[in-house]
């Protein structure tokens, strides 16, 4: 009887220290809505401050914009154009256009969304241009005649 009572006391203690059941995401899932909202609000505030500096023609702000977005813009260009050299050229053109067009940004979307839309449009224009020029990249050298 004493053994059963001790085991029952121990079972109560173990249940008391058990962590609550985890949700489907487990302990490493994305932060809850409150943390996500706070992080998103902080990102939006940083973006608005950066945009204000950009509109004042702050060169360091533009350098920050380029540093922040250059890799993702280049990746998008690479995926769309399937040519690294063309992607480098288009990515550079995107930032040159952004520099002149920042005053036209209306703020109806996030700055990053607008940047990627500009990049996508540049890629589509380059693809049209390359199509008109008959630019077909081939991996074989045997297409070249030796005459």
């Amino acid at each position: 009887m004493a053994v059963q009572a001790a085991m029952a006391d121990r079972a109560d203690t173990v249940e008391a220290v058990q962590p609550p059941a985890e949700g489907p995401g487990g302990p490493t899932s994305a932060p809850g809505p409150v943390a996500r909202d706070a992080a998103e609000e902080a990102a939006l505030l940083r973006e608005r401050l950066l945009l204000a500096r950009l509109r004042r023609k702050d060169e360091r702000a533009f350098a920050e914009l380029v540093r922040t977005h250059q890799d993702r813009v280049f990746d998008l260009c690479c995926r769309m154009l399937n040519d690294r050299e063309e992607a480098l050229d288009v990515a550079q053109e995107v930032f040159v256009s952004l520099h002149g067009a920042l005053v036209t940004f209306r703020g109806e979307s996030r700055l990053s969304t607008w940047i990627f839309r500009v990049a996508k449009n540049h890629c589509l224009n380059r693809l049209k241009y390359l199509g008109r020029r008959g630019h077909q990249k081939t991996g074989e050298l045997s297409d070249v005649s030796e005459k």
Side-chain angles (χ1 to χ4, degrees), residues 81 83 86 89-90 93 120-136:
L81 299 171
D83 183 333
E86 288 291 337
D89 289 344
V90 171
E93 290 172 13
K120 180 181 175 185
N121 289 341
H122 273 272
C123 288
L124 292 173
N125 289 340
R126 181 61 62 99
L127 287 169
K128 281 188 220 174
Y129 169 77
L130 293 173
R132 286 192 308 266
R133 299 270 326 247
H135 178 76
Q136 299 296 325

Side-chain angles (χ1 to χ4, degrees), residues 18-37:
Q18 290 282 338
E22 297 173 359
T28 58
S29 65
V34 174
R36 208 171 323 146
D37 290 343

Side-chain angles (χ1 to χ4, degrees), residues 86-99:
E86 288 291 337
L88 283 169
D89 289 344
V90 171
Q92 184 174 2
E93 290 172 13
V94 166
F95 287 105
V96 169
S97 326
L98 288 173
H99 189 269

Side-chain angles (χ1 to χ4, degrees), residues 15-66:
E15 286 178 18
V17 294
Q18 290 282 338
E22 297 173 359
T28 58
S29 65
V34 174
R36 208 171 323 146
D37 290 343
E40 190 170 324
E41 285 296 321
L44 287 171
L45 179 61
R46 280 192 308 271
E47 190 173 276
R48 279 188 237 128
L49 293 172
L50 177 63
L51 188 57
R53 290 173 47 214
L54 287 166
R55 288 188 169 149
R56 289 191 309 261
K57 307 281 190 217
D58 183 349
E59 291 179 20
R60 289 181 303 203
F62 188 73
E64 182 181 334
L65 176 88
V66 171

Side-chain angles (χ1 to χ4, degrees), residues 64-143:
E64 182 181 334
L65 176 88
V66 171
R67 257 191 324 275
T68 303
H69 297 284
Q70 67 184 353
D71 291 337
R72 291 184 62 208
V73 167
F74 175 70
D75 289 344
L76 173 67
C77 294
C78 274
R79 285 193 314 271
M80 288 188 71
L81 299 171
N82 203 24
D83 183 333
R84 188 176 194 283
E85 296 303 315
E86 288 291 337
L88 283 169
D89 289 344
V90 171
Q92 184 174 2
E93 290 172 13
V94 166
F95 287 105
V96 169
S97 326
L98 288 173
H99 189 269
L102 279 166
V103 295
T104 66
F105 177 63
R106 294 184 306 246
E108 295 172 0
S109 65
R110 295 212 33 188
L111 182 61
S112 58
T113 302
W114 181 68
I115 290 170
F116 293 114
R117 186 61 196 192
V118 169
K120 180 181 175 185
N121 289 341
H122 273 272
C123 288
L124 292 173
N125 289 340
R126 181 61 62 99
L127 287 169
K128 281 188 220 174
Y129 169 77
L130 293 173
R132 286 192 308 266
R133 299 270 326 247
H135 178 76
Q136 299 296 325
K137 191 169 184 169
T138 60
E140 299 180 18
L141 296 176
S142 61
D143 294 343

